[in-house]
């Protein structure tokens, strides 16, 4: 029997899964790693940790699956978006990768807006520019590390670097390329005018391929290390958000993915590259050919919950959420703005700050927890309202990410979005989706439609909105949306 290996290179760790052609999850490997912060606002990673993590998680997944490693027939990849990997002419890293979480490039972002204007940037990229994006990172390197910049021969994304290690060939594909802000998202080509304006050499950027195309085959030396068969086809793969969408079967308009993990993302497939003219949303290429998606991004979703657990010295996330579930909706008048690391949608402000509003002597840690959880979902609802103005009607919301482990997160989404919340039975959705991309590339499925139909199963549990809570949260949401405008003047200047 043939099996698929999916590898996901995330921000906080790597995952590997082994699945079969019916979607059974046979083995999972996980490895955590961190971000280096050599200076305030910097967030870097050594690409070597991704390789080590990919190897160790693959071994773990294979051992857990109990299959014969020689029966793995396809490999697909997924990875964190925007992170910039700079290689020399020997394909060796010139410096640590600058991740999407890095905040150093504020001046470069402002310079791009000054030169292009909001309308010009929208016309050329269909996206806002944020700190940590490849365009801003390259401009920072031009100005601050010119010797390193001069030696750059290749600019890749994390999963592209892993794929180079696996097959020995440089390449990229449309989903990650669209997240660099160096690409014409409509034409799915590098934007020659933009590259020329900012003196970025197009030769540093590999040709853009499709996610399900075969990039090459597994090198014999890597296969030997893992016990796999040399020559296994390796797909180009995709960025993590479209990969998790594939893993959850979100491959057509009308279905929305609501992910609350480290960050929070809403993803809605679109048949055209429609974009928000005010640049509060992202518009990127989907892993499905001739499909795009609109995305709202909240930088600290689960990360805000993690911060709260740390400062409260709580025993577990589940314990905090259990306590919060005993508090009435609205947390007795306590609001939380979850902007602990700046914010993307809808404010696009790296200097935004987290705020509790309405604290009283009555509030305890359960109230704080409920306010944090509600604040995250309120912020995501702002993105949902924007997506609804651009996309096809949303007929179904599918929840994913670590938040699906606790019922309160699911109920909050149902009540605040006023939508039933569905889930799939998919575990490790980004790695699962990556495996399906590999399966399509190897001919195990005729298309991603066929792959999802054969492997993605919906859960029987659907969380319905509570009518009383919906009305209460609608009123609270209006108050929530007034807080950022009232407080933003007290944040640091951009």
């Amino acid at each position: 029997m043939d099996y698929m290996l999916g590898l996901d290179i995330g921000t906080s760790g790597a995952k590997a899964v082994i699945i079969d052609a019916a979607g059974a999850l046979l083995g999972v490997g996980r490895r955590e790693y961190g971000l280096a912060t050599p200076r305030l606002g910097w967030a870097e990673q050594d690409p070597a940790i991704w390789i080590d993590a990919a190897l160790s998680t693959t071994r773990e997944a294979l051992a857990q699956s109990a299959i014969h490693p020689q029966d793995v027939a396809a490999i697909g990849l997924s990875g964190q978006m925007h992170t910039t990997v700079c290689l020399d002419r020997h394909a060796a890293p010139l410096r640590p990768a600058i991740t999407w979480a890095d905040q150093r490039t504020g001046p470069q972002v402002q310079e791009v807006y000054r030169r292009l204007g909001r309308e010009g940037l929208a016309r050329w990229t269909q996206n806002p520019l944020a700190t940590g994006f490849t365009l801003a990172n390259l401009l920072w390197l031009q100005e601050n590390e010119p010797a390193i910049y001069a030696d750059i021969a290749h600019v890749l994304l994390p999963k592209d670097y892993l794929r180079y290690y696996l097959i020995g060939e440089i390449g990229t594909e449309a989903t990650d390329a669209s997240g660099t802000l160096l690409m014409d998202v409509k034409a799915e080509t590098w934007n020659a005018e933009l590259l020329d304006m900012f003196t970025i050499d197009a030769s540093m950027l590999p040709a853009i391929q499709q996610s399900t195309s075969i990039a090459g085959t597994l090198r014999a030396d890597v296969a030997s290390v893992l016990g796999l068969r040399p020559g296994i086809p390796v797909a180009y793969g995709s960025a993590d958000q479209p990969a998790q969408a594939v893993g959850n079967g979100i491959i057509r308009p009308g279905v929305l993915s609501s992910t609350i993990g480290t960050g929070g993302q809403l993803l809605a497939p679109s048949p055209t590259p429609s974009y928000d003219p005010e640049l509060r949303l992202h518009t990127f290429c989907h892993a499905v050919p001739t499909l795009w998606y609109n995305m709202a991004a909240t930088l600290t979703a689960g990360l805000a919950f993690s911060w709260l657990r740390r400062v409260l010295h709580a025993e577990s996330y589940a314990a905090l959420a259990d306590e919060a579930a005993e508090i009435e909706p609205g947390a007795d008048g306590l609001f939380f703005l979850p902007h602990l690391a700046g914010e993307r949608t809808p404010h696009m402000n790296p200097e935004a700050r987290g705020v509790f509003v309405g604290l009283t002597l009555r509030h305890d840690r359960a109230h704080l927890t409920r306010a944090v959880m509600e604040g995250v979902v309120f912020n995501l609802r702002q993105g949902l309202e924007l997506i609804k103005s651009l996309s096809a009607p949303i007929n179904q919301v599918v929840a994913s990410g670590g938040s699906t482990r606790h019922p309160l997160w699911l109920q909050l989404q149902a009540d605040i979005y006023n939508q039933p919340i569905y889930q799939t039975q998919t575990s490790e959705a980004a790695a699962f989706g990556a495996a399906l991309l590999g399966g399509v590339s190897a001919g195990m499925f005729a298309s991603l439609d066929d792959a999802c139909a054969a492997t993605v199963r919906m859960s029987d549990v659907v969380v319905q909105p509570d009518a009383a809570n919906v009305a209460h949260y609608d009123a609270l949401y209006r108050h929530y949306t007034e807080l950022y405008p009232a407080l933003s003047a007290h944040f640091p200047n951009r």
Side-chain angles (χ1 to χ4, degrees):
M1 187 174 184
D2 290 335
Y3 303 97
M4 293 162 277
L5 166 64
L7 287 164
D8 176 47
I9 301 300
T11 308
S12 56
K15 295 168 185 173
V17 300
I18 303 292
I19 66 173
D20 66 18
L25 183 63
L26 306 176
V28 181
R30 299 179 181 90
R31 167 103 172 258
E32 292 186 356
Y33 44 71
L35 290 167
T37 55
R39 297 187 190 180
L40 181 65
W42 290 26
E44 300 182 338
Q45 284 180 331
D46 181 352
I49 70 172
W50 305 330
I51 304 302
D52 290 343
L55 295 176
S56 66
T57 55
T58 297
R59 293 189 192 97
E60 183 181 351
L62 285 168
Q64 190 181 110
S65 72
I67 69 167
H68 196 292
Q70 296 284 311
D71 290 334
V72 172
I75 300 174
L77 309 174
S78 161
Q80 55 179 287
M81 301 175 68
H82 316 302
T83 294
T84 306
V85 186
C86 299
L87 307 181
D88 65 16
R89 62 189 179 90
H90 303 293
L94 286 161
R95 66 177 323 284
I98 303 176
T99 75
W100 62 270
D102 195 282
Q103 298 286 309
R104 79 185 73 178
T105 58
Q108 287 71 35
V109 170
Q110 292 307 307
E111 176 63 12
V112 171
Y113 275 106
R114 187 190 70 77
R115 294 180 65 179
L116 280 178
R118 188 173 295 273
E119 290 185 6
L121 186 65
R123 185 174 65 254
W124 276 10
T125 71
Q126 293 80 54
N127 278 286
L129 177 63
T131 54
F133 277 43
T134 306
L135 170 58
N137 293 341
L138 291 178
L139 296 181
W140 185 89
L141 289 168
Q142 284 181 356
E143 297 175 27
N144 295 275
E145 296 181 0
I148 287 177
Y149 185 84
D151 284 341
I152 297 175
H154 309 285
V155 175
L156 299 179
L157 282 295
K159 66 100 172 60
D160 297 331
Y161 181 72
L162 171 60
R163 190 178 56 251
Y164 168 74
Y165 173 81
L166 296 176
I167 70 173
E169 300 286 341
I170 296 288
T172 196
E173 47 69 53
T175 68
D176 257 338
S178 63
T180 65
L181 259 68
L182 300 171
M183 179 182 172
D184 182 332
V185 174
K186 293 180 180 179
E188 298 192 11
T189 60
W190 299 116
N191 190 317
E193 291 179 288
L194 186 148
L195 296 177
D196 183 62
M197 172 174 279
F198 293 105
T199 61
I200 296 171
D201 188 347
S203 69
M204 298 191 302
L205 305 173
I208 300 170
Q209 309 292 339
Q210 291 295 324
S211 297
T212 54
S213 297
I214 295 177
T217 58
L218 187 65
R219 289 167 34 194
D221 56 340
V222 179
S224 177
V225 168
L226 294 171
L228 297 174
R229 173 171 50 82
I232 297 172
V234 179
Y236 276 96
S238 83
D240 55 2
Q241 280 305 301
Q244 71 80 20
V246 169
N248 282 310
I250 302 170
I251 57 173
R252 59 182 58 87
V255 184
L256 177 116
S257 165
S258 179
T259 302
I260 300 177
T262 302
Q265 299 86 22
L266 301 178
L267 182 154
S270 173
T272 60
S274 59
Y275 64 92
D276 172 28
E278 295 185 41
L279 296 181
R280 295 163 295 179
L281 294 170
H282 301 286
T283 300
F284 298 135
C285 297
H286 203 298
V288 180
T290 68
L291 192 67
W292 292 262
Y293 66 92
N294 298 123
M295 187 175 77
T298 292
L299 291 180
T300 52
L303 192 58
F305 199 40
S306 173
W307 164 81
L308 185 71
R309 180 191 175 192
R310 176 171 54 82
V311 299
L312 294 178
H313 303 287
E315 55 273 27
S316 70
Y317 296 116
L320 281 177
D322 287 344
E323 292 174 14
E326 299 299 316
I327 303 297
E328 290 295 315
D332 281 338
L334 185 61
F335 289 89
F336 177 70
L337 297 182
H339 312 318
L340 298 177
E343 194 51 283
R344 297 237 184 114
T345 308
H347 308 301
M348 295 296 165
N349 181 3
E351 303 299 338
R353 293 293 183 262
V355 183
F356 280 106
V357 176
L359 273 170
T360 70
L361 292 173
R362 173 176 170 75
H363 293 124
D364 58 19
R365 82 174 196 169
H367 291 89
L368 294 173
T369 304
R370 179 124 196 164
V372 166
M373 297 172 76
E374 290 175 343
V376 167
V377 184
F378 278 143
N379 207 68
L380 286 169
R381 175 170 164 176
Q382 292 184 99
L384 178 59
E385 301 295 336
L386 293 173
I387 286 173
K388 285 180 176 178
S389 71
L390 288 181
S391 302
I394 303 300
N395 303 317
Q396 187 180 55
V397 177
V398 178
S400 66
S403 66
T404 59
R405 300 188 187 104
H406 198 281
L408 180 57
W409 278 115
L410 298 170
Q411 192 63 57
L412 287 174
Q413 291 173 82
D415 294 342
I416 292 174
Y417 300 163
N418 190 19
Q419 290 268 2
I421 301 299
Y422 295 81
Q423 299 174 74
T424 68
Q425 297 177 20
T426 303
S427 178
E428 309 299 352
F432 191 101
L436 295 184
L437 295 173
V440 173
S441 76
M444 296 175 66
F445 307 100
S447 66
L448 283 175
D449 273 325
D450 289 347
C452 290
T455 62
V456 179
R457 301 284 179 268
M458 298 303 298
S459 168
D460 293 333
V461 177
V462 180
V463 180
Q464 298 290 344
D466 179 287
N469 288 350
V470 168
H472 187 49
Y473 278 128
D474 275 346
L476 294 175
Y477 175 71
R478 289 192 291 273
H479 289 297
Y480 176 87
T481 59
E482 295 169 354
L483 294 177
Y484 178 88
L487 294 167
S488 60
H490 302 285
F491 299 150
N493 291 326
R494 296 185 67 176

